[in-house]
Amino acid sequence: MRMRTSAGVVVAGALAVSALAVPAAQAGGRSGDTAITKVTVNGGAAVVVGTSAAKKFSVTLTAKDDSGIDGADVTLFGPSFGMLSPTSTSCSGNTCTARFVVDPKVDLAYSNEVAGTWYVDAWVDANDGDYVWTEKVKSFKLQRASKITANASPEPVKKGKTITVTGKLTRADWDTFTYKGYSKQSVQLQFKKKGAKSYSTVKTVKTSSTGALKTTVKASADGTWRYSFAGTSTTPAVSAAGDFLDVK
């Protein structure tokens, strides 16, 4: 199984390059009745990586064959020829789990462009010699971790007076291993009145060229102000912890 599967991974890598030109295409091959029925990446959540800590996640693959599943090989491909191979793969019954570790200072160094949509290529071998190989059997997001802050001032403030809410939206930069401002992004300014259970959106604010946020509103009641970012394909959604403002 290992020799045939390894060859499959080499072919998958070659086809991944051509697939960049035709993103919707799905290639593969099979022999017999082996079929992949389900693939889950990181429990269904995006894989979010910061600037220092390695991120561990798994790809779980379920397959079927009348003789049972012997093993599987899984490889991940992303933008700008990004590629990740598992640290280990094990199978139990019809389910195989491939474990991955992404170290930003090793796997993503100087590679901000690899953030975005990634794909799973999978080869599964059955006990009777049947197999199935499918390129782009599943897609997922590999994203640059994000942070956001919010500060409302002055405080305390008299009712009806103008307050200023400042903040900053940043995200992991894998070129410098620091967090840098995310420019020209729409961010919601939200308010939660004291005693309320949820926030409501007051207005939308654009980040500056450095990721800075700043706007003014009228103070109406005690409550908490925050900025909330909906996220993009390369950067996850994030909300500030919030800043409580006492209105006299």
Side-chain angles (χ1 to χ4, degrees), residues 34-35 63-65 67-72 91 93-96 124-127:
T34 310
K64 64 179 182 179
D65 186 275
S67 68
I69 302 303
D70 179 43
C91 297
N94 291 333
T95 300
C96 297
V124 178
D125 280 302
N127 289 319

Side-chain angles (χ1 to χ4, degrees), residues 40-64:
T40 303
V41 181
N42 195 35
V47 178
V48 179
V49 185
T51 59
S52 57
K55 171 70 176 181
K56 295 181 180 180
F57 67 99
S58 298
V59 176
T60 303
L61 181 153
T62 303
K64 64 179 182 179

Side-chain angles (χ1 to χ4, degrees), residues 153-155 157-165 215-219 245:
S153 64
E155 54 183 325
V157 66
K158 290 184 178 181
K159 185 175 181 179
K161 294 294 184 180
T162 298
I163 63 170
T164 301
V165 185
T215 191
T216 59
V217 291
K218 297 291 185 181
L245 191 67

Side-chain angles (χ1 to χ4, degrees), residues 5 19 28 33 39 69 90 94 104 111 127 131 141 148 166 168-169 188 199 206 218-219 223-225 227 233 239 246:
T5 305
D33 62 347
V39 178
I69 302 303
S90 60
N94 291 333
S111 301
N127 289 319
Y131 68 88
K141 293 290 190 297
I148 194 169
T166 57
K168 190 170 186 178
L169 174 64
Q188 292 182 332
Y199 283 89
K206 282 267 192 179
K218 297 291 185 181
T224 303
W225 293 91
Y227 281 116
S233 62
S239 295
D246 182 18

Side-chain angles (χ1 to χ4, degrees), residues 144-225:
R144 299 161 62 179
S146 56
K147 297 180 181 181
I148 194 169
T149 60
N151 179 66
S153 64
E155 54 183 325
V157 66
K158 290 184 178 181
K159 185 175 181 179
K161 294 294 184 180
T162 298
I163 63 170
T164 301
V165 185
T166 57
K168 190 170 186 178
L169 174 64
T170 59
R171 60 175 177 167
D173 187 314
W174 297 328
D175 289 340
T176 62
F177 309 117
T178 60
Y179 279 80
K180 289 189 174 181
Y182 197 4
S183 66
K184 300 178 181 178
Q185 298 302 307
S186 295
V187 176
Q188 292 182 332
L189 175 66
Q190 298 181 329
F191 178 69
K192 182 173 68 174
K193 188 175 181 180
K194 185 178 179 179
K197 293 183 179 179
S198 60
Y199 283 89
S200 58
T201 297
V202 177
K203 63 168 69 174
T204 299
V205 183
K206 282 267 192 179
T207 59
S208 71
S209 59
T210 62
L213 291 157
K214 184 176 181 180
T215 191
T216 59
V217 291
K218 297 291 185 181
S220 59
D222 291 352
T224 303
W225 293 91

Side-chain angles (χ1 to χ4, degrees), residues 97-142:
T97 301
R99 298 166 186 84
F100 292 83
V101 177
V102 183
D103 187 332
K105 293 189 176 182
V106 176
D107 304 299
L108 305 177
Y110 315 112
S111 301
N112 285 326
E113 65 272 15
V114 302
T117 302
W118 280 60
Y119 297 94
V120 179
D121 287 6
W123 181 298
V124 178
D125 280 302
N127 289 319
D128 60 2
D130 291 348
Y131 68 88
V132 61
W133 165 58
T134 304
E135 184 185 29
K136 304 174 86 170
V137 68
K138 183 75 174 181
S139 66
F140 67 99
K141 293 290 190 297
L142 177 68

